[in-house]
């Protein structure tokens, strides 16, 4: 199984999701490929946001070696499941993928918990460090 988590900049939500899912795979001896990307290139090459790193580290997960990269249309073919962490991200994926868009592969992440409710993972970007903890919990619950 190859899973890609996608948010806007690939420095807040999707790196947390990548770290959480990789941790779950290690704990359960599952050999899946887990990765993350963003729909824009504002932060390409940068590490995850410091608060994303702190909240993950608080839970024993090190995401410091991750680097932001941009989602590209070819990712549709490369991954088995692509999780958009927000409704606007899903729409951006569709625009980037164009004719390669595959609605059987690209899914809204929180639909795993709240089927067809079109919920988005909270975007903590403009908030404080404390705002990253509920994001972590929301992502962890969905990954599990």
């Amino acid at each position: 199984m190859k899973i890609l988590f996608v948010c806007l900049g690939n420095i807040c939500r999707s790196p947390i999701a990548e770290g959480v899912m990789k941790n779950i795979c290690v704990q359960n001896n599952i050999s899946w490929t887990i990765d993350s990307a963003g729909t824009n290139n504002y932060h390409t090459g940068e590490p995850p946001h410091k608060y994303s790193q702190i909240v993950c580290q608080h839970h024993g997960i090190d995401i410091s070696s991750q680097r932001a990269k941009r989602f590209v249309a070819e990712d549709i073919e490369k991954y088995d499941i692509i999780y958009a962490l927000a409704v606007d991200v899903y729409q951006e994926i569709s625009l980037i993928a164009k004719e390669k868009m595959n609605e059987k592969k690209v899914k809204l992440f929180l639909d795993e918990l709240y089927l067809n409710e079109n919920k988005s993972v909270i975007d903590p970007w403009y908030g404080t460090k404390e705002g990253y903890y509920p994001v972590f919990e929301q992502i962890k619950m969905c990954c599990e």
Side-chain angles (χ1 to χ4, degrees), residues 58-92:
H58 178 83
H59 291 89
I61 300 170
D62 182 5
I63 62 170
S64 64
S65 64
Q66 293 182 27
R67 293 297 175 263
K69 65 181 179 188
R70 187 160 191 217
F71 173 83
V72 293
E74 291 74 30
D75 288 336
I76 299 289
E77 297 160 352
K78 185 177 176 183
Y79 294 93
D80 300 311
I81 299 173
I82 298 170
Y83 282 120
L85 275 76
V87 173
D88 60 333
V89 172
Y90 184 94
Q91 294 164 345
E92 288 293 317

Side-chain angles (χ1 to χ4, degrees), residues 7-13 16 40 42-43 46-52 121-129 131-132 135:
C7 68
L8 293 175
N10 192 213
I11 62 166
C12 292
R13 295 171 287 182
I16 293 172
N40 67 51
Y42 301 140
H43 301 285
E46 293 179 19
H49 190 282
K50 65 182 179 181
Y51 295 154
S52 292
V121 173
I122 306 158
D123 189 350
W125 173 253
Y126 296 103
T128 64
K129 177 175 72 172
Y132 283 69
V135 170

Side-chain angles (χ1 to χ4, degrees), residues 1-8 13-14 17-18 21 32-39 71 75-76 79-87 89-90 93 102 104-113 121 139 142-144:
M1 177 72 66
K2 295 178 186 172
I3 300 173
L4 180 67
F5 294 100
V6 183
C7 68
L8 293 175
R13 295 171 287 182
S14 58
E18 177 184 343
M21 187 58 89
W32 290 351
T33 299
I34 311 296
D35 208 348
S36 63
T39 56
F71 173 83
D75 288 336
I76 299 289
Y79 294 93
D80 300 311
I81 299 173
I82 298 170
Y83 282 120
L85 275 76
V87 173
V89 172
Y90 184 94
I93 289 171
N102 182 339
K104 291 181 181 175
K105 284 186 167 189
V106 181
K107 302 171 187 249
L108 197 56
F109 180 58
L110 288 182
D111 272 2
E112 294 295 342
L113 291 175
V121 173
I139 289 170
C142 197
C143 282
E144 288 174 341

